[in-house]
Amino acid sequence: MFLFHHFLQFIFSLSISTTMDFSHPSVFLLSFFLFLFPCLISSQICQKNCGKETLKYPFGSGPGCGDPRFQPHVTCSQQKLTFTTHTGSYPVTSIDYANEVIYISDPTMSTCSCTVPSKGFGLNWDAPFTFADRTIFALVDCATNSSSICQNGYDDGSNSKLLCDQGTPICSLLYSCRPISTINLPISTCCVYTPVNLGPSFEMDLQKLQCPSYTGFYNFNDQQSDPEKWNYGIALKYKFSVTNDYPGSCDACERSHGVCGYNAAFNSFICNCPNGINTTTDCYFISSFNSGFRNGVAWLIYPAVWSFFWFFL
């Protein structure tokens, strides 16, 4: 590589001395190697991991990676995957690609270990996410005249309802947790609703509902009677498209060791290959070319280029 570097310097100096005569062989050689050399030194821009979490379509490690519809909502910064909405930013705990579910945690969410005040949680109306059916929300320490308890819908007259359930044993189990039991709250101040329906704005406004905190969980972990063992957090379902079909172009890209991405200017599909080159199909041709180049084709090209150069000099 050291000799190759000096060879490029030599060719470049000759091209300058020819006052950029594009018919001169040295300028041709310079153009050829400037095209070829990035294939050897570039690296893949779109990463396949964010910390310990594997990244696959539709999620990406940065702008231009993954699906542009998901990029504003799920981002990777300092090797930490974060889900962002208008209500805040939340750590991504895991992604179930097989079932198309992303799991997040809310630092302001109460659990069986602690109770904390919260403003609530909401999804952006244009985000490609919905609440998974397994997600259960419980409003805690609500006022006895709270709209979430006394009414079946919102005060604005909308048809969407919280489907609040006070008869479920979840409330009594949650209120048996030490942090909540010490407050000595009546069970009537708890409200549980599932499946989650936050109305047309996808918003859980705890101030409006007169409930200072909430909790959420998505799995009893085979311990229905022990709230300390429940999986606390929020499970969100995502969809690739209206038909929810996995893009065939992305499938081919990933099978060729590429990472699916998009052109930021047009949001059109690109395949980011291991050598850093973007294609509109897959990485099979690029990978074969670079493999051959590294495995000996370069040493056949060097003598040929030198012979070509001295012949026309």
Side-chain angles (χ1 to χ4, degrees):
M1 188 61 69
F2 177 77
L3 293 176
F4 182 57
H5 173 72
H6 284 279
F7 173 72
L8 283 180
Q9 285 185 325
F10 181 54
I11 294 295
F12 182 76
S13 63
L14 286 177
S15 65
I16 297 299
S17 66
T18 60
T19 64
M20 296 308 293
D21 179 7
F22 289 94
S23 63
H24 196 278
S26 63
V27 177
F28 167 78
L29 292 176
L30 175 63
S31 302
F32 174 77
F33 275 95
L34 286 178
F35 169 78
L36 192 62
F37 193 57
C39 300
L40 300 176
I41 61 175
S42 298
S43 59
Q44 198 160 25
I45 298 175
C46 297
Q47 302 302 307
K48 297 181 179 180
N49 298 88
C50 181
K52 296 181 179 179
E53 188 63 45
T54 300
L55 292 178
K56 296 181 181 180
Y57 184 88
F59 306 111
S61 59
C65 305
D67 188 309
R69 297 179 304 125
F70 289 80
Q71 178 57 39
H73 309 290
V74 180
T75 56
C76 179
S77 178
Q78 297 181 345
Q79 295 301 306
K80 295 181 179 179
L81 204 59
T82 303
F83 179 83
T84 302
T85 75
H86 63 282
T87 57
S89 297
Y90 310 92
V92 175
T93 55
S94 64
I95 302 177
D96 183 352
Y97 289 100
N99 295 302
E100 299 162 19
V101 176
I102 180 173
Y103 298 95
I104 66 174
S105 62
D106 182 359
T108 69
M109 175 189 294
S110 296
T111 66
C112 201
S113 302
C114 64
T115 58
V116 291
S118 175
K119 295 181 179 179
F121 178 85
L123 289 175
N124 294 356
W125 67 270
D126 60 343
F129 298 91
T130 58
F131 291 99
D133 291 339
R134 70 188 74 175
T135 299
I136 299 175
F137 281 161
L139 309 185
V140 181
D141 193 17
C142 299
T144 54
N145 62 342
S146 169
S147 61
S148 63
I149 295 177
C150 299
Q151 301 177 18
N152 288 327
Y154 282 89
D155 293 333
D156 58 10
S158 64
N159 294 324
S160 298
K161 299 180 180 180
L162 287 174
L163 302 178
C164 180
D165 184 3
Q166 288 183 278
T168 174
I170 291 177
C171 280
S172 59
L173 290 170
L174 282 173
Y175 277 36
S176 69
C177 296
R178 182 176 297 275
I180 300 179
S181 63
T182 54
I183 306 176
N184 197 26
L185 297 173
I187 302 298
S188 59
T189 60
C190 173
C191 176
V192 176
Y193 51 101
T194 181
V196 173
N197 184 351
L198 298 182
S201 61
F202 301 98
E203 187 83 20
M204 178 171 52
D205 189 341
L206 292 184
Q207 183 176 2
K208 177 180 179 180
L209 297 172
Q210 302 178 55
C211 304
S213 62
Y214 85 104
T215 186
F217 55 94
Y218 51 84
N219 193 345
F220 289 109
N221 205 21
D222 295 327
Q223 299 286 337
Q224 284 86 345
S225 59
D226 188 356
E228 291 186 357
K229 302 294 179 58
W230 296 351
N231 294 129
Y232 290 92
I234 303 172
L236 300 173
K237 186 81 173 175
Y238 62 87
K239 295 181 66 175
F240 303 117
S241 62
V242 176
T243 58
N244 203 30
D245 295 326
Y246 198 83
S249 55
C250 184
D251 181 53
C253 174
E254 291 179 336
R255 283 190 285 106
S256 63
H257 306 291
V259 177
C260 302
Y262 60 93
N263 183 312
F266 305 101
N267 283 348
S268 56
F269 170 80
I270 62 170
C271 182
N272 184 231
C273 299
N275 53 16
I277 291 181
N278 293 331
T279 74
T280 56
T281 53
D282 53 54
C283 302
Y284 286 120
F285 172 77
I286 300 298
S287 299
S288 299
F289 175 80
N290 282 333
S291 177
F293 195 93
R294 291 189 177 95
N295 290 334
V297 175
W299 298 108
L300 297 177
I301 292 178
Y302 293 152
V305 169
W306 275 108
S307 301
F308 181 83
F309 171 74
W310 287 111
F311 180 78
F312 286 99
L313 187 64

